[in-house]
Amino acid sequence: NYIPKVTREIDLEEQALGSSTFSSKKRLDSMVAKKAKWMWQETPGFIGNHGVSQIYGDPSDLWVLYEDASTAKLEEAFKWNKKSVSPIPGYEVEFGTMIQTKLATGFARKVQRVVEEASSTEISLSDMDVDVGD
């Protein structure tokens, strides 16, 4: 048996200032969990093909959310600093340019990653950095 232990988030500002200590004032229960959402930009005129729950933000911006399985693939590859990943068969997303390309035609469109605060019902252990405890 093991108890998962949540590791701390790295404070980039703190790191840039040269402090490597984790402030005891920061408490785990006061940290806000973050959840990434991945989306691709639809072609004008086709946004109506998607349900309201699939559209991110203002429909005129044309952002369509990837399904959960594709989001998981994108996020995992992004966290591991991969150059690209295929979130769905026949498509490749390149992280350096944030472009999704349809391999059969070469058609390219923008993708984006948005990180938002996650509610407690949206958080799972896979969303956090965990270490195996003693």
Side-chain angles (χ1 to χ4, degrees):
N1 290 337
Y2 73 90
I3 300 171
K5 178 177 77 177
V6 178
T7 61
R8 67 179 170 91
E9 292 185 11
I10 298 171
D11 185 337
L12 296 177
E13 183 179 2
E14 187 176 279
Q15 197 173 52
L17 295 173
S19 173
S20 62
T21 59
F22 185 64
S23 171
S24 61
K25 292 180 185 177
K26 292 182 182 178
R27 299 180 57 190
L28 181 60
D29 60 0
S30 67
M31 288 185 191
V32 178
K34 306 289 183 185
K35 186 160 182 84
K37 292 186 178 190
W38 284 87
M39 59 209 74
W40 51 275
Q41 195 168 39
E42 179 59 280
T43 305
F46 290 92
I47 198 69
N49 294 342
H50 306 283
V52 175
S53 64
Q54 295 174 293
I55 299 170
Y56 182 83
D58 187 332
S60 66
D61 293 334
L62 307 174
W63 291 109
V64 178
L65 294 165
Y66 281 97
E67 293 187 12
D68 291 344
S70 297
T71 293
K73 286 181 184 179
L74 286 158
E75 189 62 15
E76 183 72 13
F78 182 81
K79 285 181 178 180
W80 284 99
N81 295 316
K82 301 285 184 183
K83 290 183 180 183
S84 64
V85 69
S86 177
I88 53 176
Y91 292 86
E92 189 80 13
V93 171
E94 190 169 320
F95 296 119
T97 58
M98 293 299 276
I99 296 290
Q100 171 187 282
T101 303
K102 185 173 185 176
L103 300 175
T105 64
F107 180 77
R109 64 174 83 237
K110 294 178 184 178
V111 299
Q112 72 174 347
R113 176 181 183 263
V114 176
V115 179
E116 299 178 335
E117 292 181 8
S119 71
S120 59
T121 58
E122 295 177 319
I123 301 169
S124 70
L125 285 178
S126 63
D127 295 328
M128 298 181 225
D129 293 328
V130 291
D131 288 336
V132 175
D134 294 329

